[in-house]
Amino acid sequence: MRINCISAGQIDVGLDLGESDLKGMQSQLPPTSLQTPEAQKKIIGLERAGLPTEVARVAGFLASGFSAYITGANLTVDGGAT
């Protein structure tokens, strides 16, 4: 049995929360739709939010035979934010 983990950073899923109630989000980064490009450049190493396809490729890799010898790994997909 192989158990691995994907820790995704900010991923731009196209959701606009501009009119939403953001109570309880003080300990998190705001959604990418509410961030300025300058803020993303300061927070994220690659200076942009990730795309869903970029996380999906990592998941596909872990599901494929190419990762047959990887166990207990945490793959961080956050564009260099951590």
Side-chain angles (χ1 to χ4, degrees):
M1 176 190 299
R2 297 181 298 152
I3 299 175
N4 296 300
C5 174
I6 299 173
S7 295
Q10 286 192 302
I11 305 301
D12 188 359
V13 294
L15 184 64
D16 184 9
L17 298 175
E19 302 296 322
S20 299
D21 180 14
L22 300 177
K23 291 181 184 171
M25 291 191 62
Q26 289 78 19
S27 63
Q28 302 179 47
L29 293 171
T32 56
S33 63
L34 300 180
Q35 290 179 7
T36 64
E38 293 80 24
Q40 286 187 16
K41 287 181 181 182
K42 289 168 66 175
I43 297 169
I44 305 169
L46 292 179
E47 301 180 349
R48 66 171 178 83
L51 300 174
T53 54
E54 293 170 318
V55 178
R57 288 177 183 148
V58 175
F61 167 73
L62 287 175
S64 75
F66 291 113
S67 67
Y69 208 63
I70 297 175
T71 61
N74 179 21
L75 300 181
T76 305
V77 184
D78 68 355
T82 56

